[in-house]
Structure formats: C-alpha cells, structure tokens
Amino acid sequence: MKIITNGKIFFKNQFIEEDIFIEKDRILGIGHTQKHDLRMATEIIDAKGLLVLPGLIDVHVHLRDPGQTYKEDFTSGTRAALAGGITTVMDMPNNTKPTVTLDRLEEKEEWAAEKALCDVRFHFGCTNNNFNEIKQANPNSLKLYMFKTTQAQDLCITDEKIIEKHMLNFNKKIVVHAEDNDVEKVCSIAQKCKRKIHLAHTPTRKQIDITKRTGNTNEVAPHHLFLSTKDQEQLGKLSGVHPHLRTEEERKDLWNKLDDIDCIATDHAPHTLEEKRAGAAGFPGLETSLSLMLDAYNKRLMNINWIAGRMSENPAKIFNLPHIGRIESGYYANLAFIDLKKEWVVKGNELETKCKWSPFEGKLLKGKNVRTMYKGKLVYENGEFIDAY
Ligand code: DOR
Ligand code: ZN
C-alpha cells in the first residue's frame, strides 16, 4: 500500500486535508493515516504544500498516430499529457486514414497499447455512410464534423438527413465540430432526435448559450480563453486555428460565462512550424492548459474548484468514463500534484510535444503540475520521467 500524505486533495468539489491510500493501481480510500497504516505502507509520498487533483481528462486531442507521426505520436503525445497533469486523453479520428472503420480503430488501439504512456480513448469518426462500421466497432463516442478541417475532408457531413441518421443510430455521446450558424442548426437536429450532444471547442458566449439552452454540453479550449485576434500580430502565421481566434471583446465576454462551461479540452493539434507557416490550423495545448488556468487562479480570475471540476470530474461524467476523474475508493490512482507557486516560462523547444512550439511561447505562468501518478505509479516528477519513461 502507498500513502500520499500532507496534501490538499480534491474531494466532492472542495479541497480537504486527508491522506490517500493506494493499492496497486487503485485508490483504496481516503482518511487520516494511523500507526498501523504506516506499518503496512510500502511507500509514503509527501505532498506537503501541494494540491492533489484527480488525473486530468482531456477529451479533445489529436495524437496524429498513425499517419503523421513526424508531428506527434502516441509516445510523445502522452508524455506531453502526463507532463501537463493529464492522465486520460481522447484522441480524434482525423488521421490521414481517418478512424472510421473497425480495422482502423483496432489498429490505433494496438499501437496505443504498445506506445502510449497514459490512458488513451478514441473518438470514432462519422462519414456519410459508415453506419455499419459504427455498429460493428461500437465505440464509446462519435465525432461528427460539419466543418472541413485538417485531414477531415472525407469526414465532413453537411446533409441534415445524414446527421439525423447518425444521431438516431447511436445512443452514446456524439461530439460535434460545428462552427457559427451550424451550432444552432446541429442543436436543433439533436432536439428533434430527442438526444443530447457535446459541442467541441465553443469559442463564444453565444455558442455556450445555445448549448445550455438546448440541454447539451460544451467544452472550451484554453486558447479561446487566453488568446484573441489581438495576439495575431505577434503570432502571425502561427495564429491559425479552427474555430478561429475571436476579438478581444468576444474573448472577455467568454469569461462572463465560465459557470456555463462544462469542461476544458485542449484541442491539442500539433503541426510543425513549417506547416504552420504554410497555413496549417491548430495549436499544441497539453502542457500549457492546466498552468494557464492556475495562473488565472493566481491572478484571482478563476476559482480553483472550478478548474479541478472542469478538467477532471466533468469530462468523465460527460463521456461516461467509469473509475476516473475522482479521488475516491475504487477509482484509478491517477493523480496530478499541483504546486500553485511554481513559476515557469513556456519554451517550445523544452516541451514534450514533437512539434516543439507553443502559441504561449515566452509566457511566464505561475502554477504547475509537478508530479503525475498514473495507475498507482509516479511517472513524472519535476520535469523528469521516471523509470521506463
Ligand atoms: O485547428 C484545428 N486543428 N482545428 C481542428 O478542428 C482540427 C485540428 C487539427 O487536426 O489540426
Ligand atoms: Zn480538434
């Protein structure tokens, strides 16, 4: 049994001073350590001065493997996740050969089992006619693109009848990439089909309002909270992303809606600098997401319970992921140890992601994940990967 002691742990939406007892890959329970517990302990992990969060869950990540492993692969992408305190990522289907058949899904699962260092789940892509493939594969979630984006030309569906058919044929979560007027449109199709959907990367107050009014869930990407068209001058060609950055006014307005945001998801979309300069859309985000939020907390712009909930428990709830997202008996011992005072400067060439750049280059952030536990093992500590990593 391992014991984590002296930390402030996130439990039932607040931080409490309790110890965590761990057996193999699971949490046994929480409480105060007694003498006999100490005798049973094989390892005591001191979390003095740290917050202990459930390992974070990022429901929107592009790991690029297989197909474009020069910009990311299961190993580099999951290292980036673990460095950022994230222990579960949900991978998007827009690979060069999109994840739209059972074979492709199985191929990804095999590769990930071999190469990934944290928990990887897969969104399965919708096409105009892959209804049988979806039935066969029976994935946990679908991704439906109403927008032509990176590698997603074959995935883009605009025909309402086909969207409706996907919604009626599948009873688990469907994630939709809709932009502008399509958000309203897809929410009303979902209403007609009497089902709920999850809207990816909603960048504006208006879109959040639509998702809430129609009883659906949303996710917000850190770059829409922390970057605007004001930053385009400095970022130049690197500023391309779908959905595009909004004006400073719209960005500020998004902050008026924090309570209606269901979860934070990075849309980690690595491209090389050469590709960015040639117009590729997307930002890496796994290693900066939590720190940006913690920095905002330190500036009294965000509530720490809000951050923890939106990055761990809520994503697990939305996607119905059992035994992750909480510090509770029976749950996986996936944990992020946070030092709220730790300051660091974002430097692309020091990041784990293969693309080696960040739209937040040079930014000083206060608050960082300093240790990550995955399935009962400390795998990352102060910038270093432990053992086989
Ligand atoms: O900016 C983006 N990049 N938006 C997307 O929807 C896709 C992503 C990518 O895969 O590069
Ligand atoms: Zn995406």
Side-chain angles (χ1 to χ4, degrees), residues 60 62 64 94 143 145 147 149-150 177 201 240-243 267 269-271 281-283:
H60 192 145
H62 301 264
R64 312 290 194 211
N94 64 329
K143 174 76 182 277
Y145 287 90
F147 186 86
T149 186
T150 318
H177 179 148
H201 41 47
V241 67
H242 296 305
D267 194 5
H271 298 286
F283 301 145

Side-chain angles (χ1 to χ4, degrees), residues 29-89:
I30 62 172
H32 287 305
T33 300
Q34 311 289 336
K35 265 201 185 120
H36 66 267
D37 296 323
L38 287 174
R39 278 199 299 275
M40 304 264 292
T42 52
E43 191 182 345
I44 294 175
I45 298 165
D46 188 1
K48 192 169 168 49
L50 304 178
L51 299 183
V52 185
L53 266 55
L56 306 180
I57 300 169
D58 188 343
V59 303
H60 192 145
V61 171
H62 301 264
L63 292 177
R64 312 290 194 211
D65 196 347
Q68 294 176 312
T69 51
Y70 62 94
K71 44 186 167 191
E72 202 75 289
D73 63 33
F74 285 127
T75 308
S76 62
T78 52
R79 276 173 73 101
L82 289 168
I86 297 161
T87 49
T88 299
V89 293

Side-chain angles (χ1 to χ4, degrees), residues 185-309:
K185 185 165 138 189
V186 76
C187 286
S188 71
I189 301 174
Q191 257 176 333
K192 196 169 145 200
C193 298
K194 296 194 171 31
R195 62 121 63 225
K196 303 289 182 233
I197 53 173
H198 177 77
L199 274 293
H201 41 47
T202 44
T204 60
R205 174 193 183 124
K206 187 175 165 218
Q207 291 191 17
I208 298 223
D209 284 344
I210 295 169
T211 62
K212 291 293 93 186
R213 184 161 31 81
T214 49
N216 296 306
T217 52
N218 61 60
E219 72 191 30
V220 168
H223 48 262
H224 291 127
L225 283 167
F226 293 94
L227 295 173
S228 70
T229 49
K230 217 175 90 181
D231 300 287
Q232 271 169 355
E233 227 168 274
Q234 207 199 328
L235 286 170
K237 285 264 189 183
L238 304 186
S239 67
V241 67
H242 296 305
H244 64 85
L245 296 179
R246 284 355 205 220
T247 64
E248 188 58 11
E249 203 181 322
E250 286 173 295
R251 183 190 76 85
K252 285 190 178 139
D253 203 24
L254 183 59
W255 283 74
N256 294 323
K257 277 279 143 181
L258 290 186
D259 283 345
D260 284 340
I261 294 175
D262 292 304
C263 66
I264 297 294
T266 59
D267 194 5
H268 177 82
H271 298 286
T272 63
L273 280 169
E274 292 67 38
E275 289 172 320
K276 287 299 290 179
R277 291 189 187 111
F283 301 145
L286 289 167
E287 288 158 273
T288 45
S289 180
L290 175 63
S291 268
L292 287 163
M293 307 295 153
L294 298 174
D295 187 65
Y297 163 76
N298 277 315
K299 291 175 175 148
R300 299 183 195 286
L301 298 171
M302 263 182 191
N303 175 306
I304 192 74
N305 298 4
W306 182 94
I307 296 169

